[in-house]
Amino acid sequence: MGGGSGGSGGGVANSSSSARPPSSSSSPSRSWGLECLIRRKRVDSADSKRERSQLAKRLSVFDLVAIGVGSTIGAGVYILVGAVAREHTGPALTFSFLLAGTAAALSAFCYAELACRCPSAGSAYHYSYICIGEGIAWLIGWSLILEFTLGGAAVARGMSPNLGSFIGGEDKLPGLLARQTIFGVLVDPCAAILVFIVTGLLCTGIKESSFFQGIITTTNIGAMLFICLAGGYLGFKSGWPGYELPNGYFPFGVNGLLAGSAKLFFSFVGFDCLTSTAEEVKSPQRDLPLGIAISLAICAMLYMLVSAVVVGLIPYYALDPDTPISSAFASYGMEWAAYIITTGTVTALCASLMGSILPQPRILMAMARDGLLPSFFSDINKHTRVPVKSTIVTGCLFPHHFLGQSFLCDRENSDKNPLLEDHNVQGASKEKRRQKIVTWSITIICIGVFVLSSAASAKGLPSVPRFMLCGVGVFLLSGSLFVLTFTDQADTRHTFGHSGGFICPFVPYLPVACILVNTYLLINLGAGTWIRVCLWLLLGVLMYVFYGRNHSLLKYVVPVPNVTAADTR
């Protein structure tokens, strides 16, 4: 294996060298069964990466922090603090941000190790393809497209009202920029223009776009620091009336605090954008974990400072749910502060939109490289060294929206010695038992997490059955976690993928906590959201069945020992 790369996926041969149709008809028949769902690819070796067109490796830690902070701190913090404080947390809003940031950090730890081991533009799609299989990888990649598309669409739609606030209201915008209804469809020219500008900027190159991202992110941080400093001065001068309330610091109790954290968790979504740039980072093993950690730390600190100031200036129930920060300053006669706050909001919208469009072409490119999408999406421009075609397609589609696996990663032994055959047979039998124990333990953990999260979220359920279900979930979760704790991890966890880089701590506890938090958040999504997501996933399944599985580069690959795979390169 070259370049310190390891293999994964049970020794499946590298698709770039072995994915040729055989003469017999036995291998093609495999693609018509369920085997296609579990076929896994290997971590790209240094040799295979040199064979194909490369993205430009120009990103440093500073660039990653600019992209990460800009993608994470959207306009939501300027609006969401009012609604969450009024409905869920009260003055305890800062603690909800702390809990949400801690939950995001759990996912970030797992992302950081996988990004070091498998530095690819595919992000979670790529990791799951290596560790789990093609079927799950396709659904994850398809879901990521939906996530970034809807997130970017929601961000872009906020541009019109915020630009309008500079000139006295959205109705004061010029006719060409104002929202209009054409044939019953709402058209937002401001949003479309912003998307096209950002798309053009991203096509110029990753370094150029990250430089611009750094400028607008710095402006946004400046606006947030103004809120903290000016608000802090007003708070100390007035005695922080928002904290002097008769119903205390936790008016909605622990349930309100947790409910607020669940909503605020989405304010930290954005660090996963960094993992999609892994191929463009100069030193991914060192810089990616640092970029993710520093970005999350800066965002959490700014969120907590802003929330502490806002809920302290005026009582939480007096906050305007639409413009909480501006209304808080206006109550002290500082109406002019609204212009600074709106500037921060507009720059946050631009930075967040860039963070939503940036990963999509790279995920499409990664899926096209594997044959699951047409090769059109994998083309990289020779001059700018970015996937220009995928970026343009992503940008053109946007306006229409306005109109894990450390225990199971294993591979065959690449060094075969006939003298050790009996020992290898015994070791293989022992390894199979270990894998069976781990598989069942993880399955029971997932069942326990689902039962516990469902029971904790079922507020309409009577207390006795609710607590009984919670107890069952805790028993399943803790029992299986106990078994995992005393089960040896696969040796390949520290040799899998590229050597060096960040190692996720507290395994298996931290990944299980991450699963629990994210499952709880998913269960608390509305029924309408789940229906739309299921429809999107159904469309993805149809695309995979009729195109992806038949064009996958792993379609004709036969499992072989790793040493054979290396020889075929």
Side-chain angles (χ1 to χ4, degrees):
M1 304 297 292
S5 301
S8 178
V12 176
N14 189 290
S15 59
S16 64
S17 59
S18 308
R20 289 188 293 268
S23 57
S24 65
S25 60
S26 58
S27 292
S29 64
R30 291 172 55 89
S31 65
W32 290 100
L34 296 179
E35 293 89 350
C36 62
L37 300 178
I38 58 174
R39 56 193 179 196
R40 296 181 289 170
K41 70 176 184 178
R42 300 174 64 183
V43 182
D44 293 327
S45 69
D47 293 334
S48 64
K49 281 191 174 185
R50 280 194 291 266
E51 291 174 1
R52 67 190 183 201
S53 181
Q54 284 288 288
L55 298 169
K57 284 185 171 294
R58 301 183 63 188
L59 296 181
S60 62
V61 174
F62 177 81
D63 298 314
L64 291 175
V65 171
I67 296 173
V69 174
S71 303
T72 304
I73 301 182
V77 68
Y78 293 95
I79 302 172
L80 201 59
V81 292
V84 174
R86 286 171 59 95
E87 300 172 8
H88 299 289
T89 66
L93 180 64
T94 304
F95 283 97
S96 283
F97 266 118
L98 177 61
L99 291 176
T102 302
L106 298 178
S107 299
F109 279 125
C110 301
Y111 263 92
E113 176 172 344
L114 290 170
C116 291
R117 297 289 181 183
C118 319
S120 169
S123 187
Y125 156 79
H126 182 68
Y127 314 148
S128 56
Y129 206 160
I130 292 172
C131 294
I132 303 176
E134 186 174 281
I136 296 297
W138 167 266
L139 289 179
I140 289 177
W142 192 249
S143 300
L144 287 173
I145 295 173
L146 177 65
E147 172 195 344
F148 290 119
T149 299
L150 293 184
V155 166
R157 286 177 66 95
M159 184 58 67
S160 295
N162 282 284
L163 285 179
S165 63
F166 278 113
I167 56 177
E170 188 177 354
D171 56 340
K172 301 291 182 62
L173 287 172
L176 292 177
L177 299 179
R179 290 177 178 174
Q180 302 175 16
T181 302
I182 301 177
F183 300 113
V185 178
L186 181 63
V187 180
D188 192 338
C190 276
I193 292 172
L194 177 62
V195 168
F196 289 137
I197 292 175
V198 170
T199 300
L201 186 63
L202 291 174
C203 289
T204 61
I206 187 63
K207 189 69 175 180
E208 292 76 9
S209 57
S210 66
F211 176 76
F212 181 77
Q213 179 91 315
I215 294 176
I216 57 179
T217 299
T218 301
T219 305
N220 182 23
I221 292 177
M224 297 183 74
L225 291 177
F226 166 80
I227 295 170
C228 297
L229 296 176
Y233 170 77
L234 294 175
F236 283 112
K237 186 178 180 180
S238 61
W240 299 104
Y243 294 122
E244 301 294 334
L245 299 175
N247 51 357
Y249 197 76
F250 298 92
F252 298 95
V254 176
N255 288 335
L257 185 69
L258 295 176
S261 298
K263 285 193 173 183
L264 295 175
F265 176 82
F266 296 99
S267 298
F268 290 92
V269 173
F271 66 84
D272 53 338
C273 169
L274 295 181
T275 59
S276 68
T277 65
E279 291 185 28
E280 296 160 285
V281 181
K282 296 177 182 177
S283 179
Q285 277 75 25
R286 181 197 65 188
D287 294 347
L288 271 175
L290 282 175
I292 292 173
I294 295 174
S295 299
L296 270 182
I298 291 175
C299 294
M301 180 183 64
L302 290 174
Y303 283 157
M304 293 174 66
L305 287 174
V306 170
S307 61
V309 168
V310 173
V311 297
L313 289 179
I314 58 176
Y316 68 91
Y317 49 78
L319 287 171
D320 188 319
D322 297 322
T323 57
I325 302 178
S326 299
S327 63
F329 278 92
S331 65
Y332 287 86
M334 294 179 60
E335 288 83 359
W336 55 269
Y339 292 101
I340 299 178
I341 297 169
T342 302
T343 300
T345 306
V346 171
T347 55
L349 286 170
C350 296
S352 185
L353 181 61
M354 289 187 69
S356 295
I357 298 181
L358 174 67
Q360 283 200 66
R362 285 149 181 83
I363 293 172
L364 292 172
M365 179 191 69
M367 298 174 75
R369 280 177 176 175
D370 297 327
L372 303 183
L373 288 176
S375 59
F376 168 87
F377 293 102
S378 63
D379 290 345
I380 297 176
N381 187 276
K382 294 181 180 180
H383 301 289
T384 62
R385 305 281 294 278
V386 295
V388 172
K389 293 180 180 178
S390 296
T391 304
I392 292 175
V393 169
T394 300
C396 290
L397 289 177
F398 255 80
H400 292 284
H401 292 281
F402 311 139
L403 306 166
Q405 187 60 336
S406 63
F407 280 72
L408 293 178
C409 264
D410 203 4
R411 58 180 178 183
E412 297 180 17
N413 194 341
S414 60
D415 299 320
K416 303 278 180 126
N417 189 336
L419 298 177
L420 300 177
E421 184 174 352
D422 292 338
H423 175 73
N424 288 342
V425 170
Q426 294 176 2
S429 177
K430 183 178 179 181
E431 175 62 18
K432 286 184 178 180
R433 289 197 301 271
R434 187 197 67 83
Q435 287 191 357
K436 183 177 291 186
I437 293 173
V438 169
T439 301
W440 277 106
S441 298
I442 293 176
T443 302
I444 296 174
I445 281 177
C446 292
I447 295 173
V449 165
F450 180 78
V451 172
L452 178 59
S453 301
S454 300
S457 303
K459 298 179 181 179
L461 198 65
S463 299
V464 175
R466 185 181 181 188
F467 283 120
M468 290 180 62
L469 286 174
C470 286
V472 171
V474 170
F475 174 77
L476 295 174
L477 178 60
S478 58
S480 300
L481 189 58
F482 179 81
V483 173
L484 275 185
T485 301
F486 291 96
T487 302
D488 294 334
Q489 295 187 32
D491 294 334
T492 49
R493 187 199 167 191
H494 299 287
T495 58
F496 151 76
H498 295 253
S499 60
F502 179 79
I503 300 295
C504 181
F506 308 116
V507 174
Y509 305 105
L510 192 147
V512 170
C514 177
I515 294 172
L516 178 61
V517 170
N518 284 279
T519 302
Y520 177 81
L521 295 174
L522 287 171
I523 288 176
N524 282 275
L525 293 175
T529 300
W530 273 110
I531 292 174
R532 289 187 288 271
V533 169
C534 289
L535 291 175
W536 175 258
L537 292 179
L538 178 61
L539 177 61
V541 169
L542 294 175
M543 289 192 63
Y544 176 74
V545 168
F546 291 104
Y547 183 89
R549 69 169 184 169
N550 294 318
H551 292 80
S552 171
L553 294 184
L554 297 185
K555 179 179 179 180
Y556 298 105
V557 172
V558 179
V560 293
N562 279 354
V563 64
T564 307
D567 293 339
T568 60
R569 290 191 178 90

